Amino acid sequence: MKYQLTALLVSLLVVPAMSQERRSDDYSEKYGVLSDKNIFLKDRPRPRPPSTARTERTERPPVPEEPLENRFILRGVVIEDSELRAYVENTRTNFISRLVPGDSIARGHVLEIGIDAIRYEQDGRIKWVEIGHNLAGARQMDVPRVSTPTPA
């Protein structure tokens, strides 16, 4: 009887601890990427491209006749300190600029920032540039995609 009572107490204490450990492992496995790649952290590390033995990613050679505006892509608009800020990426250097109205970029400057676009002026021409488009107004297809890990 005493042995059965001890076994019962051990099973009541050990089994929940084991299931709790399993739950935290499942949580880390499923949602760990959110803390590792949190887009809202200022000092987050740059993501490393996936390494493959067969293909190696090389930088696209510059095209002399390509307009400078094609190199800059509006990646997003956020509200910081009660003001809208635009984030524009230089695809040649992978540098992201944080812009406010009046800031210069490429051969023009930002006139206004909307919730999903910026009003950009270059040589007296004004256009709205939406998120995912370059400063020339063309949609860019190189928007990074987040991949989900496949279960083993």
Side-chain angles (χ1 to χ4, degrees):
M1 175 84 172
K2 186 176 180 180
Y3 174 74
Q4 291 174 340
L5 185 58
T6 304
L8 178 64
L9 287 175
V10 168
S11 66
L12 290 174
L13 296 174
V14 172
V15 171
M18 288 173 50
S19 64
Q20 181 67 26
E21 182 179 313
R22 190 175 308 127
R23 270 192 238 129
S24 67
D25 288 344
D26 290 344
Y27 180 85
S28 296
E29 184 178 314
K30 287 181 181 178
Y31 304 109
V33 69
L34 295 176
S35 63
D36 294 341
K37 299 182 179 184
N38 187 344
I39 64 170
F40 299 103
L41 292 178
K42 288 183 179 179
D43 299 325
R44 72 181 187 273
R46 298 282 299 169
R48 286 183 248 162
S51 61
T52 58
R54 289 183 282 154
T55 60
E56 190 173 306
R57 187 175 173 180
T58 59
E59 186 174 321
R60 188 174 62 154
V63 179
E65 61 274 359
E66 179 183 39
L68 183 62
E69 287 71 29
N70 289 353
R71 296 181 190 175
F72 294 91
I73 301 172
L74 178 61
R75 292 295 186 193
V77 174
V78 298
I79 299 173
E80 293 177 351
D81 301 326
S82 301
E83 293 183 26
L84 289 171
R85 306 264 198 284
Y87 285 84
V88 176
E89 179 184 9
N90 181 337
T91 59
R92 295 280 183 230
T93 62
N94 293 328
F95 182 78
I96 296 182
S97 301
R98 181 174 149 241
L99 305 172
V100 295
D103 285 348
S104 296
I105 186 94
R107 291 180 287 200
H109 63 276
V110 177
L111 294 175
E112 182 181 348
I113 300 175
I115 195 69
D116 62 350
I118 62 171
R119 201 168 92 188
Y120 176 72
E121 179 185 17
Q122 178 207 350
D123 298 329
R125 290 177 293 160
I126 299 172
K127 64 183 124 196
W128 279 96
V129 177
E130 295 178 0
I131 293 174
H133 291 70
N134 63 23
L135 295 181
R139 176 112 176 107
Q140 296 298 298
M141 302 309 277
D142 67 343
V143 176
R145 295 190 177 126
V146 176
S147 63
T148 56
T150 56

